[in-house]
Amino acid sequence: MAKEQDNFKQVISHAKEYGYIFSSSEIYDGLSAVYDYGQNGVELKNNIKNYWWKSMVQMHQNIVGLDAAILMHPTTWKASGHVDAFNDPLIDNKDSKKRYRADVLVEDYVEKINQKAQKEIDKAQKRFGEAFNEEEFVTTNPRVLRYREEQKTIMERLATSLTAENLADVKALIEELGIACPESGSKNWTDVKQFNLMFGTKLGASADSATDLYLRPETAQGIFVNFANVQKTGRMKIPFGIAQIGKAFRNEIVARQFIFRQREFEQMEMQFFVRPGEELKWFEYWKETRQKWHASLGLGEENYRFHDHEKMAHYANAATDIEFNFPFGFKELEGIHSRTDFDLKAHEEHSGKKLQFFDPELNKNYVPYVIETSIGLDRMFLAVFSSSLQEEALEDGNTRTVLKLPAILAPTKAAIFPLVKKDGLPEIAEQIVEDLQWDFNVIYDEKDAVGRRYRRQDANGTPFCITVDHQTKEDHTVTIRHRDTMEQKRVAIAELKEIISQEIDFKTWMKR
Ligand code: ATP
């Protein structure tokens, strides 16, 4: 745990030191759970958005984009259920005065049991080596079976009490399990209460005539209310999808863990409209497609796992989370939900407008069913950033800090150095920058010894360093050094564009 915390601290300080993430309004001591993305952060974020957008909109003829407003008619949130049911169950510890999400306390407890089971599996793996059959072990080993049963019983009880809004039972469960406040170790808990997560605001000049609005807590509803507009003007036929990237706001009470849980964040969501009855087929399709998207970035298969929901949201008939191994353990990165026709039907009822599709093959109108894929952009940022940050031991006994970002996402694709600040080398390096910047984000750097410049770029995740030396003047060649292998090659200046292009080719990445 201590090591995990150290790693996490290092991620946070590296993100600040290299201009990725700052606390919001830091000169006023910051605003809790709100963050700003710096000069490199904004580039990485844009590249992640682009990678998602292209994979959704450009690569699917039946998916189109949308950019709906953050402020929406207040009835939207009545229809969606957010006014009545967008609540977190909260519990306070009376001694430490710390507030927690009751469901998260229980989930963390269950995760500890999971880790015990995993330890048994790892131990057995070591003991049996090659001959180890994990499948057989987990289905027969009495200890693992007991842990798994315990996990299941607790999660089912939590799901049942939350679905029935039986908050007294959630508290009883916390007490029965002997869960203590992680800060103080105290088991002195208040009752569990529901707390609405939407931020309210006002529209209008005078206090009396102002209308109460909400900052949207998810981007999805902007898609649902535009279903008919997009379907008709785009002449879309079912199945089709609408994708959107945008800000969402939640008044998270327990907002820790850096950009993982913020009060203002960005979502990348796609709602896929399908024939009723075909939703589970499409649910599987999107589970697989999204898994491939994640795998293509090479952050490590072992860092992902699926978590099927025991407790469905009120609108869903199937749901799974893609969880990522963040520096503080496996947590939700993306949700894939089969939302039935809940949202469109609710908007039909509240607006009095038809939100249906005439299916020429079936010769009838219906309200489509929806599969949603919803990923937090900031969480994806944290997944990419934290898994890329590595301390590497070098052959000469030194270590280097290297941010092994997928090259396609790296803020700067190449740094161009003159070996020395004289003899006409800076001019040649500047000329290379001028040529390459039409196609890529590149930078010029002439400060410090070349070795230190390399280290700086390694720590910033730049895939290539290009050095101009005296030989360049004779034969128009430069050395190009690759961040991950540290290998240096002599290549012609004329080849640089092609070399960098290949490394960040969208098709090559997506097909990995
Ligand atoms: P959690 O259980 O972690 O609160 P959620 O299930 O409420 O998340 P959804 O409503 O399914 O999340 O939102 C979809 C995605 O939006 C999540 O998978 C997550 O990546 C992202 N997200 C949700 N809340 C936040 C937040 N407060 N800060 C950053 N990202 C968030």
Side-chain angles (χ1 to χ4, degrees), residues 82 86 88 101 103-104 107 197 217-218 248-250 252 255 258-269 309 315 321-322 326 331-337 372-380:
H82 284 80
F86 193 50
D88 272 349
R101 263 176 58 179
D103 54 335
V104 172
E107 281 164 13
L197 294 178
E218 63 176 27
F249 302 81
R250 295 182 189 179
E252 301 274 6
F258 196 38
I259 56 170
F260 179 82
R261 189 173 299 289
Q262 297 176 84
R263 299 202 161 102
E264 172 178 343
F265 57 99
E266 265 182 278
Q267 292 183 314
M268 305 192 285
E269 296 199 303
H309 284 207
Y315 48 74
D321 291 340
I322 299 179
F326 289 101
K331 294 267 178 215
E332 173 176 342
L333 167 61
E334 169 160 4
I336 301 170
H337 310 124
E372 159 181 89
T373 74
S374 173
I375 174 168
L377 173 55
D378 312 81
R379 287 192 189 176
M380 188 60 200

Side-chain angles (χ1 to χ4, degrees), residues 3 26 104 119 156 170 203 265 331:
K3 187 163 171 278
E26 199 187 86
V104 172
K119 246 191 206 149
E156 279 174 1
V170 178
L203 177 97
F265 57 99
K331 294 267 178 215

Side-chain angles (χ1 to χ4, degrees), residues 96-217:
S96 68
K97 307 273 178 264
K98 290 271 169 209
R99 178 162 281 186
Y100 298 92
R101 263 176 58 179
D103 54 335
V104 172
L105 282 180
V106 176
E107 281 164 13
D108 287 350
Y109 180 90
V110 169
E111 178 57 26
K112 280 193 197 127
I113 305 176
N114 184 42
Q115 283 166 5
K116 284 188 200 160
Q118 193 56 46
K119 246 191 206 149
E120 294 291 333
I121 299 168
D122 293 345
K123 255 194 336 209
Q125 171 123 47
K126 256 198 202 134
R127 193 155 15 112
F128 295 114
E130 291 271 292
F132 183 60
N133 180 340
E134 182 168 336
E135 174 99 23
E136 190 186 315
F137 184 76
V138 297
T139 46
T140 53
N141 179 276
R143 277 206 195 137
V144 174
L145 285 174
R146 211 178 51 238
Y147 287 138
R148 292 282 183 253
E149 187 55 36
E150 209 181 329
Q151 284 176 264
K152 195 162 157 260
T153 313
I154 298 172
M155 288 311 288
E156 279 174 1
R157 164 120 174 246
L158 178 68
T160 313
S161 3
L162 286 175
T163 310
E165 297 206 19
N166 184 353
L167 300 182
D169 192 56
V170 178
K171 181 179 180 188
L173 180 61
I174 289 175
E175 287 178 337
E176 280 167 38
L177 296 173
I179 297 177
C181 165
E183 290 267 315
S184 63
S186 146
K187 295 178 186 170
N188 192 6
W189 296 108
T190 61
D191 287 343
V192 179
K193 283 185 296 260
Q194 293 284 23
F195 179 85
N196 193 291
L197 294 178
M198 282 198 292
F199 276 108
T201 186
K202 299 227 178 256
L203 177 97
S206 81
D208 325 328
S209 63
T211 311
D212 285 316
L213 295 185
Y214 295 106
L215 299 184
R216 68 179 177 198

Side-chain angles (χ1 to χ4, degrees), residues 454-472:
Y454 283 156
R455 290 289 172 274
R456 227 176 2 247
Q457 296 305 324
D458 286 347
N460 198 36
T462 309
F464 291 113
C465 289
I466 294 162
T467 307
V468 172
D469 56 20
H470 291 94
Q471 193 184 326
T472 310

Side-chain angles (χ1 to χ4, degrees), residues 304-464:
Y304 287 93
R305 71 182 189 198
F306 278 106
H307 169 237
D308 293 327
H309 284 207
E310 284 87 9
K311 173 186 183 272
M312 287 320 158
H314 53 285
Y315 48 74
N317 71 354
T320 194
D321 291 340
I322 299 179
E323 296 187 338
F324 189 79
N325 190 10
F326 289 101
F328 35 83
F330 277 96
K331 294 267 178 215
E332 173 176 342
L333 167 61
E334 169 160 4
I336 301 170
H337 310 124
S338 173
R339 293 180 77 122
T340 67
D341 55 2
F342 173 84
D343 303 271
L344 290 181
K345 268 212 170 127
H347 287 305
E348 273 198 334
E349 277 162 27
H350 283 79
S351 68
K353 308 276 168 19
K354 282 232 169 309
L355 297 176
Q356 303 193 354
F357 174 74
F358 176 74
D359 192 325
E361 278 172 38
L362 302 180
N363 197 26
K364 68 171 191 188
N365 279 307
Y366 54 77
V367 178
Y369 270 43
V370 173
I371 305 300
E372 159 181 89
T373 74
S374 173
I375 174 168
L377 173 55
D378 312 81
R379 287 192 189 176
M380 188 60 200
F381 187 112
L382 185 58
V384 171
F385 193 89
S386 60
S387 61
S388 299
L389 185 60
Q390 293 170 21
E391 287 291 324
E392 209 172 69
L394 299 176
E395 276 172 14
D396 63 7
N398 287 322
T399 56
R400 68 164 180 158
T401 303
V402 53
L403 190 60
K404 290 190 169 174
L405 297 173
I408 193 163
L409 303 182
T412 306
K413 304 304 184 200
I416 294 100
F417 313 148
L419 184 64
V420 289
K421 275 191 261 182
K422 57 181 185 185
D423 304 335
L425 304 188
E427 288 75 8
I428 303 176
E430 275 163 8
Q431 186 58 50
I432 295 176
V433 169
E434 265 178 45
D435 289 344
L436 292 179
Q437 71 188 3
W438 290 95
D439 298 289
F440 321 106
N441 255 348
V442 292
I443 60 154
Y444 174 84
D445 187 7
E446 59 173 26
K447 200 165 171 287
D448 302 321
V450 167
R452 289 194 57 184
R453 284 182 255 172
Y454 283 156
R455 290 289 172 274
R456 227 176 2 247
Q457 296 305 324
D458 286 347
N460 198 36
T462 309
F464 291 113

